[in-house]
């Protein structure tokens, strides 16, 4: 028997997760199931090569290219899911008369993610990924027109 308990042995944890899965699943699907464990190891400083060796010992031989591609896609999906929960869309209407009333927050801008200026290729990517709420943009335009017409009336009254 080993000196370390099975819950600290990464190979045993990988095996436990993999045994619970359907053996007909693709390698990428099996990898996605163990990625939370892999992320914990990587965060603690374990190199990717050691993780690949542990996966092989657990019964899941994975090519490096499959591992890196699947890890990249998994992290990207995780990041996008986190972004969506952090930035609620302004176009989602809440039912009127809802029993739980939230304190009113300032309305979200019609265009979210707008860079201040274009100085790097990253700024161009931000423009590509902007979220535009057409209803909010229309409301902003109407408010600006109303304000402009009031300012014009005020100036005409002064003259």
């Amino acid at each position: 028997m080993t000196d370390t308990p099975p819950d600290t042995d990464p190979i045993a944890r990988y095996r436990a997760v993999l045994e619970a899965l359907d053996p007909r699943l693709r390698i990428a699907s099996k990898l996605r199931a163990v990625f939370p464990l892999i992320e914990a190891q990587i965060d603690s400083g374990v190199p990717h090569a050691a993780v690949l060796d542990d996966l092989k010992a657990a019964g899941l031989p994975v090519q490096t290219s499959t591992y890196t591609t699947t890890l990249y896609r998994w992290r990207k999906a995780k990041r996008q899911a986190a972004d969506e929960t952090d930035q609620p869309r302004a176009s989602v209407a809440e039912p009127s008369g809802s029993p739980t009333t939230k304190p009113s927050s300032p309305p979200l801008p019609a265009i979210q993610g707008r860079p201040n200026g274009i100085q790097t290729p990253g700024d161009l990517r931000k423009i590509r990924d902007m979220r535009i709420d057409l209803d909010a943009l229309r409301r902003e335009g109407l408010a600006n027109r109303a304000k402009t017409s009031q300012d014009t009336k005020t100036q005409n009254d002064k003259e």
Side-chain angles (χ1 to χ4, degrees):
M1 197 159 171
T2 60
D3 294 346
T4 60
D7 52 302
T8 59
D9 182 25
I11 297 171
R13 287 184 286 163
Y14 293 152
R15 279 189 185 136
V17 171
L18 292 172
E19 287 173 359
L21 298 174
D22 186 357
R24 297 173 292 184
L25 288 175
R26 295 180 181 207
I27 291 177
S29 299
K30 292 177 182 179
L31 273 175
R32 282 191 294 274
V34 294
F35 273 147
L37 302 173
I38 292 172
E39 283 288 333
Q41 279 198 297
I42 291 171
D43 289 344
S44 66
V46 176
H48 291 281
V51 170
L52 285 170
D53 291 340
D54 289 346
L55 287 170
K56 186 176 181 180
L60 184 65
V62 180
Q63 293 180 356
T64 307
S65 61
T66 304
Y67 171 79
T68 55
T69 302
T70 309
L71 181 62
Y72 169 77
R73 290 177 180 167
W74 183 75
R75 285 177 174 170
K76 183 178 177 182
K78 187 175 159 185
R79 198 171 40 246
Q80 287 176 346
D83 288 345
E84 288 175 2
T85 58
D86 289 344
Q87 298 176 356
R89 291 185 171 237
S91 63
V92 175
E94 291 192 20
S96 60
S98 61
T100 57
T101 345
K102 296 178 186 175
S104 63
S105 60
L108 293 173
I111 301 175
Q112 297 178 6
R114 182 185 325 184
N116 294 336
I118 300 173
Q119 297 175 352
T120 65
D123 293 335
L124 291 173
R125 284 189 292 276
K126 286 180 186 176
I127 289 173
R128 181 189 67 203
D129 297 335
M130 285 189 316
R131 291 190 176 130
I132 300 174
D133 184 357
L134 295 177
D135 292 331
L137 190 61
R138 179 178 174 271
R139 287 190 300 271
E140 282 182 19
L142 291 173
N144 286 339
R145 281 189 216 141
K147 182 180 177 186
T148 304
S149 66
Q150 286 177 355
D151 290 342
T152 305
K153 288 180 184 177
T154 307
Q155 286 179 352
N156 290 340
D157 291 341
K158 288 181 181 178
E159 293 176 354

